[in-house]
Amino acid sequence: MLNIINNPSKPKTMKHLMLSIIALAMFVSGVNAQTVSGRKKGIQAESSFVFAGASHWALGGRQTIGYCINPDWYVGVGAVFISNLNPSGNDVNIAPLYPNARWYWKDRRWSPFVDMSAGYAFATSTGTGGGAYVAPLVGINYHIKGRLSLDLGLGYLYEGCTYYGMAFNQHSPEIRIGLRY
């Protein structure tokens, strides 16, 4: 390589080398500009749709608000309304309140994360009793623009409620789609 630089009879090779270095530098700086997530320290909220199913289908919407400590950690509180569609009787509706924590694996435009919500589910339909609510989740966050991002996750939903005095424990996979802002 030193021979190429010191040899004046090969000016085209030197030009190609310089152009390659400049192109590589531009590529690396462009990649770094696109990988930043847009997550900043401060208040952040999420609105999401919940779909779960096993022996009963569960549909709901959740709202979480909290504080982004840094691009890697978020803590907050939230509420969700879930309607468990019971094919053999009345639907079981609950409204859990929960603390929420999230850890992002990387500060990138596409950021994998682990999320945990656990709290108490209040009964909202006749004959239903409240109980535990646990919803761990793994997913991916896609930064759109500014503070706006899209969440897509796959997790587990547990509702430890009662229905007319009998245990109505929902154990099911959960799909969650939401917007962070």
Side-chain angles (χ1 to χ4, degrees):
M1 179 152 171
L2 188 56
N3 217 5
I4 295 171
I5 295 171
N6 292 331
N7 189 349
S9 66
K10 300 217 178 202
K12 287 183 181 177
T13 307
M14 184 62 157
K15 284 181 187 177
H16 289 287
L17 180 63
M18 290 304 289
L19 286 174
S20 297
I21 291 170
I22 291 169
L24 181 63
M26 289 173 64
F27 175 75
V28 170
S29 66
V31 168
N32 286 339
Q34 292 177 357
T35 59
V36 176
S37 67
R39 286 187 303 275
K40 295 179 181 156
K41 192 177 199 180
I43 295 175
Q44 190 178 49
E46 177 188 17
S47 299
S48 55
F49 172 75
V50 175
F51 175 75
S55 59
H56 300 90
W57 294 107
L59 301 173
R62 54 185 270 150
Q63 180 65 47
T64 305
I65 188 162
Y67 191 78
C68 194
I69 298 167
N70 59 39
D72 297 332
W73 285 98
Y74 167 84
V75 292
V77 295
V80 61
F81 178 80
I82 297 175
S83 183
N84 294 284
L85 308 175
N86 187 356
S88 59
N90 295 333
D91 295 344
V92 176
N93 300 320
I94 60 167
L97 296 177
Y98 55 86
N100 178 248
R102 179 176 286 193
W103 174 70
Y104 293 95
W105 184 39
K106 300 223 181 226
D107 185 19
R108 302 275 171 92
R109 180 167 220 157
W110 291 90
S111 300
F113 65 85
V114 176
D115 186 282
M116 179 59 169
S117 300
Y120 186 80
F122 294 92
T124 61
S125 56
T126 306
T128 305
Y133 170 80
V134 179
L137 181 89
V138 293
I140 191 131
N141 174 269
Y142 174 72
H143 174 245
I144 298 170
K145 184 178 182 181
R147 286 182 158 301
L148 186 63
S149 63
L150 177 68
D151 282 348
L152 179 60
L154 181 61
Y156 167 78
L157 177 65
Y158 172 74
E159 303 165 0
C161 299
T162 60
Y163 183 65
Y164 288 102
M166 297 193 59
F168 181 84
N169 295 324
Q170 173 86 333
H171 297 273
S172 63
E174 173 187 22
I175 296 172
R176 195 181 309 160
I177 302 169
L179 282 176
R180 283 199 167 262
Y181 45 93

